[in-house]
Structures are given as C-alpha cells and as structure tokens.
Amino acid sequence: MSKNLVWYGELTDPKRLTRRGLFFLSPGMLWLLAFLVVPGLILIVVSFATRGQYGQIQWTFTLENLKRLMGFSLFGWSADYLLILWRSIVIAFVTTVVSVALSYPLAFFIASRPARTRYLWLTLVIVPCWTNSVIRTYSWFLILAPEMPFAKLAAYFGFISAGAPLYPGMLAVYLGMISLYLPFVALPLYASVERLDWSLVEAAQDLYASRYRVFTQAVLPQTLPGLSVGIILTFVPAMGTFIVPDLLGGAKYMLVGNLIQQQFGSSRDWPFGAAISLGLMLLTMVGLQVFRRRGKGMEFI
Amino acid sequence: MRKLFFAFLAVSLILFSTSAVLAAELRFYNWSEYIDPEILTDFEKETGIKVRMDLYESNEEMMAKLQAGGVSQYDIIVPSDYFIPSLTALNLIQPLDHAQLPNLKNLSAMFTQAAVDPGNKYTVPYQWGTVGLMYHKDKIKNFDPKNPSWASIFDPSQDPGPFLLIDDARVMIGIAMKYLGYPFNSAEPKHLKEAVELLLKTKHQKSCLGFEGGVGGKNKVVAGVAVAAVVYNGDAMRAVEENENIAFLVPNEGSEIWLDSMCIPAQAPNKAEAYKFINYILDAKVGAKLANWNRYGSPNEASMPYIAPEDKEDPAIYPTPEVMKRLEYSLDLGEKSRLVDEAWTMVKTR
Amino acid sequence: MNRSHPFVTAVAMLTLAFLYLPMLAVAVFSVNATRYGLTWQGFTFSWYTKLLENDFILEAAWNTLLLAVFSTIVATVLGTILALGLTRFPWPRRLKNPFDIILHLPVVTPDIIQAAALVVAFSILRFFSSIFEAGLLTMIIGHITFQIAFVALVVQSRLVMLGRDIEEAGRDLYAGTRYLLRRVTLPLLLPGIVAGGMLAFTLSLDDFVISFFTAGPTSVTLPLFIYAAVRRGVTPEIHALSTMVLLITVILIISTERLTRK
C-alpha cells in the first residue's frame, strides 16, 4: 500500500509521481546518456586500446597510452605531454585571472551608468560574446602583422626578427585568449554587481576599512555567484581551447586542445587522443574543485 | 499544441529536402589550390555533373577524414604515392575498372609502371612534383642562390629572415635527414632522434614562424609575412607568376619527389561520375590545362605537346637530371611509420 | 552609485577598446582595395560583392542557420522538460546527485572531449545505419547534446525562483497536470525558456569544435568555412564575410533585447 502524500498541493502517491517524473525526465536524460555519457565511457575504454599500424583502433588493451602521457615514449623519457598539460593549466589560469581583473572595473563602470545608457554599454560587451570565436581570433592576425606599429616596436627591441609578425607566439596566444574569454566573465559578474548592496560597502567604509578590505569583505562575497559562473565559463573552455593556439600559436606553442585535435586528426591515434582527453578531464575537475571551494551557490544567468 | 508540432514537422521536412537533394554530383576531395577552377566548370558543362570540392592540406588529414567516415562520402581522393599501401591495406580505396578509363593510355610509361601501383590497379597519376625552398629574392638574407643549402633554415647562424616550415611529417623529417646526411626515408631511432632535435632547434629559432601547409606557406610569403618557406614546387611557381621577386629552388642536399594520384574510395556514392571525371582529366588537352595552371609536372604523355614551353624548360617544374639524382620518393614505412609519427608529434609538441 | 572612480573608468574603457580593436581592424581592411599586405590602397566594396556571388559561402550560411534553428528548437523542448522533471519531483538524494552530475557534464567538460566522445559514438552508430554519416544530422545531434544542459540549467533556475505557491494554488483549485502545465507553469516559465533558447541559439551559431568533428562534406558551416580559409591564407573576402557576420550579430542582439525587454 503506497502512502499518499501531498506534493505541490496535489494528493497523489509516490508511484504515480515517480512515473510522471520519469516521463518528464527521460527524453533529456536518455539523450545525454546516449550521446555524452556512454560515448564518454567508451572513450575511456578506447584510451586503453592501441593504435594500429595504419591508424586504426586495435582492441589490444594496454596501459601504454597512459605511460606515454606520463612521458615514456619510444625515444626514452621526456616530459613533453606533461609540459603541455601544465602549460594549458597555466594559460587557462592566467587568462581567467586577467579576465576577472579586467571585468571588475568594467562591471562597476556599467553599473555606475544611468539606467538608460546601461543597455548600450551592456550591448557593447555582449556583441563580442555573440561574435564567432574564429573571427575574433583571426582578427588578431591584422593587429599583430609586421606592418603594424606593435610588431615594429617589438622588432626594434629585438624580441622578434625584423619584418616578422608578432604571431605565432606566447603573447599572441594570451591576447587571443583574454579577448575571447573576457566577455564570458564580464557578463555574469555584471549580473552580480548590478544587485550589489552598496549599503554594505558604505558601512565598511564608515568603519574605516582599507580599500583592500572593503573589496574583499564587502564587495567580493556579494559578487561571488556571478564570479563563480564567470570563472567556470572561462576556465573550462580555456583548458580545452584549440582555435587560439592553432591560429595564434602556430605549431610552436601546443596546448592540450591542439594535442587532442592532432591525435584525432592527422596523427590518427584515437587511443592516445582518448588518453589525453582523460587526463584533461581529470585536470579540469581538479581545477574546478579548487575554484569551487571558494564559492557556493551556482546561479545561472 | 498538436498543430504546432505538425507544422514544425512539415517545415523541417521541407527544409531538409531542399538541402539534401542530390542531383548528379561528384564529391571531389582534393588538395587546396590543386586544380584550375575552369576545369571543374568545363566538366560540368560537358557532362552536367556538378562537382563539389572539399580541400585538405596533407595526406594525414585526408586519411583521418576517410577513416572517420569519409570513405563513403567522397568519390575521388588524391593521395600521394607512399600512402597507397596503407589505403589498400585498410581497404579504403577500390580497384579501378579500366574499361571505364579509355584515356589511361595517355599516361607516360614512367608512371604506369610506378613501383607503388604497377598497372594502375588502384590509382591514376594526377601530378608529380618536388619540394623546395621558396623565397623573396630581395628580402632574403645570408642566402646564395647559386649554392643553396638547407643550412639557411637549419643553421641558426644563417638567419634568412622570417621563414616557415612545411606542415608535412614525412617531408620535413625527410629533409632533415638529407641535411644530416641520412637517406630520406630512414626510420632508424638514432637518426630520427637527431632529426627531431634538429627540427626542434629550428622551430625555436626567433625567425621560424612555425609550420604551415604548402599553400598556407606560399600565401604568407606572397603576403610579405614571411621571407622564405618550404613549399611544393607548383605552389611556388604560381606565386612566381604573380610576383617576379619570388623564386624557387631545390637546395643541394636534396629533397622529396612525389607523385599524386586519383583514387576512388571504397564506398564512394557516385562511382560512375567518378570514372567520368578521371577519364576527363586524363584527356590530353585537359591534362595540359591542369599542369599549365598548377605549374606541376604532368604524368600525361599525350599532354606534352600542349604544355607551355616555358614550363617544359623550367627546372623548377621539370628538374634537370642532376637535380633528379638528389630527389627521393617517400616510401611506405610499414610498421616503422609509427616511429615517424611519434617523432613528428614530438617535433610539434615541444 | 552614479559616479565612477576615474581609474575604474579608464580601465573599463581600455578593456572595451581591447575587445573591439581586432574586429575594427577586420572591418577596416574589408574595404581596403588590396589583396595582400596591409597598406591602404583605397576604398572598395568589391570584396562584399564577390562574397554574394560565392555559392559556398551562401551555402555555409544557410547550413549554419538551419543547424542553429533546428537544434535550438529540439534542445529547448527537451531541456525544458528535463528541468521540469528534475525540479518538480521529489527524487531521493541518491538519484538526484547523479542526475545533477549528468546535467552539469556538458558545461564542465571541455568541448573537445565532448566532440571526441561524439566521434566515437557516431563511428559505432554508423555500423547500424548509414543515417549517421558525418553530416547535418550528426551536427544537429552534437549541438543538441550540449544545448540541452544549458537550457535545462537556465530553466531550472527560473523554476526554483518561481516557488511552489502558484502551482499549489492551482492544484487546490482542482487543476489537472496537463492543465496546470499549459496554463500556469509554462506561461510563468516563458522568460526562462526564451532565455535558455537564446543561449542555446548563440552557442550553436558560434560553435566550432563540435561542428568541426561532426561535419561532413555537404554540411560546412560558417565558422568551419572561415577557419579553413584562414588556415590557407587570409583574404579580404574573409574580412568582408567577418564584418557582415559581425553586423548581423549586432542586429540579432538588438532585436533580441527588444523582444525580451517586455
């Protein structure tokens, strides 16, 4: 005999509720299971397979791909791949930090505008967000070209050879990444900043708190929801990005995204690509946990 | 609600049928900038078959696409010689029905008896060429065209200015091998290690702008972003046409000679159209039109009378016997190709 | 607070300039009458006219639109039902946690891994039916997969905000489930659904990585087209195309704001 209960004002029993719940839940869940979870699991399995002679998958299981990821290749030990993973984390981290640092002034600025013009400024931030990332990335080719003053300045100081463009290179990659991901931090952050209770800030100031403490104790905690959304929307894609390093880094500055893309593309080494994906996934999880410890309450726009 | 659903269904059916309609169509998967667009329109006019061309920059890219499902989506591919054994081993291409290719007789004997596919069971030669250095005559530094050496790019003390390497594993490693004095196709771990180190040192030079496909490299030199690039000879010659200050040559240590051929993937959707196209390309005049636009060497004997005389004399397109001695074909390395692939990954990643 | 510290203003302005500088450069050079190099050779619209004559670009634009519209509609429907299913039913903790994790997966997984998983999925499915050849269908499936999660999350937050009262009131007045949904929940939810749909639409339009791995020869989209062209060498036609995409984006944003301003 199933208990009757009142749920949302409706008198019903758990079985009927569960049935109806499943009816709602299943289309979406099944889809996600079929096209994300199960393939993901298969991917994990593939990471233990071997690459055949001509690039096909051979189902002989081995830990070799993971070993190779750790650096034990046919040519002896080298920290290549770990280096790439490390480089990706650093770049993602720096990009996120710089984007956050630049987004706060931007968000405050927009929040300080009269309500009429706020939409205008917001639109200015949204437009790059909606614009295609390939376009936004390759447009740096023009700014960093040899004829432009920036490249000429760098050549004058000897950073690059005369007549060379400022790409491919670390600087170009950072510029591309920051300009790509900044709006993704700015918008959620602005959503939080807009709802900021300025009385708390004033109270802190009244109590003679230093500027720094006003920020960290009155402003930061209130903006945390928006900040955490922004960080996740930046850090995760930045970890796996491959357009920016591909176009602006050339083959000189490989990141994890390029590496994976290369394995599924010209190297035709799906097992190794899967192994790297596994590594990337683990790292992303770890990175997110670190960020998440500092922020509670995920709220979406 | 129901009405909405049916309206949605109807609209989506209409939209999909318009985009999925396939008239007689040929799906041609080719290298970029590798065919005169006029040839495609001429073919369309003559046969009514619409040609849809997709482009790739390297054999590996083409192979990856085939293995990821392209084998049943493309009708013609154009792989290089050393890739044919892998393609046949993986059953990715189908044997050709010579009855449908009457123009096969136009080919020169050198290419019908090519070691990689004697008798043209699977392949029909398309173009052949070499790899070398393309450069701006007036902007390049530390370079002597009369005594050209790969040291210009490999030796850091001989900085030519911003340069590009070609994004092709076998070619770049092979050139490094030639420079180090080893055979082009060597896959000895010891040699590979040296080649990898050389390429890494080169890549990290201030002047090296990284790796680009042949066409990409050529375009960057023409745009003035780079001063020199390792490219295929035909791409370079087309740039020379546009800009007199650009030149091309094969340095002394040697380089690669290659042959590209047309093949039909194992599950090609439009076989009949594919045969018509291949036969069309084999025609004497069309073959000449192809070579005259591409500026590559033509394997078509019957086309020779129609090829531009300046091209026939140009050592960049038809190398002198002396240069030919320094050129080697890339060979299929079988099991050792894994070593080369790993070596290349190392070059790209560090 | 209606004033802003001059330092904050300056940084904000510089940041905006930084964001727009590259795109302005593209717009400027799209009307530059030179094929190579960056010296100013005179004003011209010829690159734009060449664009409109290019069949491939028009086809890519059509594909992009078709893909976005179709996948957004399906994903919005599926995502909304999913959100309803998750928040409106008393699931025990041990079920709710895995559900939440699965829901958040597309958001926290780098899209290249999602793309790799899709490639694996389709190569297996291809054994069973040739309908899964790389092409528009596989792209749509790929897009829907990540769009569902985003829509569901947006709708979910709105659902949580709505609270129980109105629905309880409806039940008290003997409303049946279907009626309740149609007349109460969904209309209240509409802003959230629209927001989720808009988000999904944007994500689809701009998507590169997943499209890259699931596209076939006949289903090139604009991002893919531009990427392939840029790798071979940037031409002014690409600048013209990019500027046009930018303008259309601006128009889309402004019209979206008008629509959701109510």
Side-chain angles (χ1 to χ4, degrees), chain C residues 153-227:
Chain C
L153 285 168
V154 173
V155 173
Q156 192 180 42
S157 67
R158 174 118 186 133
L159 261 178
V160 165
M161 226 172 63
L162 277 181
R164 299 176 168 235
D165 309 341
I166 301 193
E167 290 186 29
E168 274 191 17
R171 291 286 188 194
D172 283 345
L173 296 170
Y174 299 107
T177 314
R178 215 179 281 180
Y179 189 86
L180 191 69
L181 266 180
R182 205 154 54 100
R183 294 291 191 155
V184 180
T185 322
L186 285 181
L188 282 174
L189 214 44
L190 205 54
I193 299 181
V194 169
M198 284 282 135
L199 181 64
F201 190 70
T202 324
L203 289 173
S204 171
L205 273 186
D206 190 25
D207 177 71
F208 175 75
V209 179
I210 300 209
S211 308
F212 185 72
F213 282 91
T214 50
T218 49
S219 58
V220 177
T221 60
L222 275 182
L224 293 181
F225 180 85
I226 298 181
Y227 175 75

Side-chain angles (χ1 to χ4, degrees), chain B residues 2 33-34 38 87 102 109 206 253 274:
Chain B
R2 205 155 293 175
E33 295 191 24
Y34 207 25
E38 272 184 30
L87 287 170
K206 241 179 8 181
E253 292 88 349

